[in-house]
Amino acid sequence: MKKILYLATLLLCAVLTTSCEKEEVGGTATESLAGEWYVTANVVDNGQVIEDPYGIGRFNILTYNTSANTGDEIWVDDMDNFWSFKVKASADVNALTFSASNVQNQSYDCTVTITNAKVIKNGGTQNNGKPADYITMDVEFSDDPGTIYRLEGVRYSGLEEND
């Protein structure tokens, strides 16, 4: 009887140990471009950059994978923090770049063009002085033709000291 209880206990421990193993969760196909970003909207006028002309200050935008989860497209979404735009952009995860040419805005009826968009690993600095990924893109809206907005900033860290 002791042998049966001992074997049953060993079997129970083996089952519990096996069922408690953590399963590694994989990333998305656009993980290197995806993130939450603190950016500022500047205006590019004849090569001159006018910093934050509307006094908006820093705001959040998102870049994330599409439901297809392929490495060649991402969503760029300002979450109604700036111009109310959400567009699908072509992406190159190896070069850390993306772009969109007159694509339909999902937030309201206009088209959006994104050029010169890239992520630079550790290319920026957080408020606390630590390095952070940097994002930059030039955006033009069909309902404000000719005005180029340069959105640029750093990856959101989640730390209060960087807010």
Side-chain angles (χ1 to χ4, degrees):
M1 186 67 174
K2 284 184 179 180
K3 285 184 180 181
I4 293 174
L5 284 174
Y6 177 73
L7 289 173
T9 303
L10 281 177
L11 182 61
L12 181 63
C13 287
V15 169
L16 289 175
T17 302
T18 303
S19 66
C20 292
E21 287 181 20
K22 263 191 164 175
E23 190 175 313
E24 290 297 318
V25 178
T28 66
T30 60
E31 186 173 359
S32 58
L33 289 172
E36 183 174 357
W37 307 88
Y38 273 135
V39 298
T40 304
N42 303 316
V43 171
V44 180
D45 185 18
N46 293 321
Q48 297 291 326
V49 177
I50 303 165
E51 293 189 22
D52 195 14
Y54 305 119
I56 298 171
R58 289 188 340 158
F59 57 92
N60 290 72
I61 64 168
L62 299 174
T63 54
Y64 50 93
N65 66 297
T66 64
S67 60
N69 194 28
T70 60
D72 62 353
E73 63 183 4
I74 61 171
W75 284 107
V76 181
D77 186 348
D78 81 341
M79 303 181 307
D80 298 328
N81 286 322
F82 172 59
W83 203 273
S84 295
F85 75 96
K86 177 181 177 180
V87 295
K88 245 185 225 186
S90 300
D92 182 338
V93 294
N94 294 320
L96 297 176
T97 60
F98 55 99
S99 64
S101 182
N102 291 315
V103 295
Q104 183 59 49
N105 184 358
Q106 300 299 304
S107 296
Y108 72 96
D109 189 23
C110 82
T111 59
V112 179
T113 296
I114 298 174
T115 56
N116 303 317
K118 61 186 168 186
V119 171
I120 301 170
K121 294 292 184 185
N122 293 319
T125 305
Q126 294 285 358
N127 287 345
N128 66 2
K130 301 290 183 191
D133 294 346
Y134 174 82
I135 192 168
T136 183
M137 69 186 87
D138 291 342
V139 184
E140 183 177 6
F141 302 94
S142 64
D143 57 345
D144 189 13
T147 304
I148 307 296
Y149 296 94
R150 179 163 296 155
L151 305 183
E152 56 188 342
V154 294
R155 188 179 299 276
Y156 173 72
S157 71
L159 298 175
E160 189 175 317
E161 63 193 28
N162 291 324
D163 287 346

